[in-house]
Amino acid sequence: MELLQVNGRINKKKLALSILIPVVGGSITGWIANKNAQEKYKNLKQPSFSPPGAVFPIVWTTLYATMGIAKYRVDQKVKDMRTDSTPAIPLYDLQLGLNFLWSFLFFRWGLRGTALLEISLMLASIALTAYEFQKLDNTAGVLMMPYVGWVTFALGLNYSVWKLNK
C-alpha cells in the first residue's frame, strides 16, 4: 500500500487513470497492430532467445501497470510542488506514444528496420523518463527500471528478427 501512497495519501481516481491509460492503450494497440499479423510473425526466423508468445501479454501488462504507478507518483509530486516546469511528464507521454507506434511498425506494417530505429529512440526516451522520474520520486524511477530492461531486450530481439529475415 505504501507504494501507492504519495505524501501519505492515495488519489484512487488518478491512480486508476494513470494505470488504465497504458494498460488499455497497450491492449488496444496490440490487438489492432497484431490483427492478422500473427501468422506472418510465426513464419519469420526467430533468434534462439526469443521467448514464447504467451510471455508478451503478461510482461507488457505488468510493465504498463508499473509505469502507470510511476506516472501517478510523479503527477502527485508535481502537483504538491505546484510546478509544471518538469520534462518528466512530456517525456513519459513521448515514450508511451513511441511504445504504441512500435507495434504498428513491427507487426502491422512489417517495417522491422524502421521499428529498430524507432525502438532505439523509444529506449532513449524511456531512460530519460526514468531519470527525470527519479529526480522527483526515487520510487517512480525504480519502477521504470524493469521497463528499461525489457525494452533493451526487445531492441535486441527486434534487431535479431530484422537481421535473420532481411
Side-chain angles (χ1 to χ4, degrees):
M1 202 55 131
E2 280 184 41
L3 177 67
L4 305 177
Q5 290 182 354
V6 180
N7 296 330
R9 63 186 188 282
I10 300 173
N11 182 326
K12 291 178 184 174
K13 286 182 184 177
K14 286 198 179 230
L15 175 61
L17 188 61
S18 294
I19 294 170
L20 284 174
I21 288 172
V23 170
V24 172
S27 296
I28 291 169
T29 298
W31 180 75
I32 293 170
N34 293 323
K35 195 176 176 183
N36 303 322
Q38 288 303 315
E39 257 331 289
K40 285 187 222 172
Y41 185 71
K42 286 178 186 175
N43 293 327
L44 293 173
K45 293 177 190 167
Q46 298 290 326
S48 61
F49 61 90
S50 183
V55 168
F56 292 97
I58 296 165
V59 169
W60 279 114
T61 301
T62 303
L63 292 173
Y64 286 140
T66 57
M67 79 170 74
I69 294 167
K71 165 80 163 37
Y72 164 76
R73 293 184 62 85
V74 167
D75 278 343
Q76 295 305 108
K77 291 284 184 159
V78 168
K79 178 183 156 201
D80 288 348
M81 293 167 40
R82 292 181 173 85
T83 182
D84 291 330
S85 64
T86 175
I89 303 307
L91 281 168
Y92 176 86
D93 294 342
L94 171 66
Q95 67 78 26
L96 190 59
L98 289 170
N99 180 302
F100 294 162
L101 174 62
W102 182 88
S103 294
F104 285 96
L105 292 170
F106 189 89
F107 291 109
R108 184 72 169 189
W109 302 319
L111 301 170
R112 286 173 260 294
T114 304
L116 180 59
L117 294 174
E118 194 268 2
I119 199 172
S120 300
L121 294 173
M122 181 171 75
L123 180 57
S125 68
I126 295 165
L128 285 170
T129 301
Y131 173 74
E132 292 296 330
F133 275 21
Q134 186 277 327
K135 288 181 2 186
L136 296 166
D137 181 78
N138 190 61
T139 301
V142 169
L143 284 169
M144 295 294 285
M145 290 298 100
Y147 183 34
V148 170
W150 181 258
V151 173
T152 301
F153 172 76
L155 188 148
L157 189 57
N158 186 155
Y159 172 77
S160 295
V161 170
W162 171 70
K163 192 79 169 158
L164 289 170
N165 294 280
K166 276 184 164 184

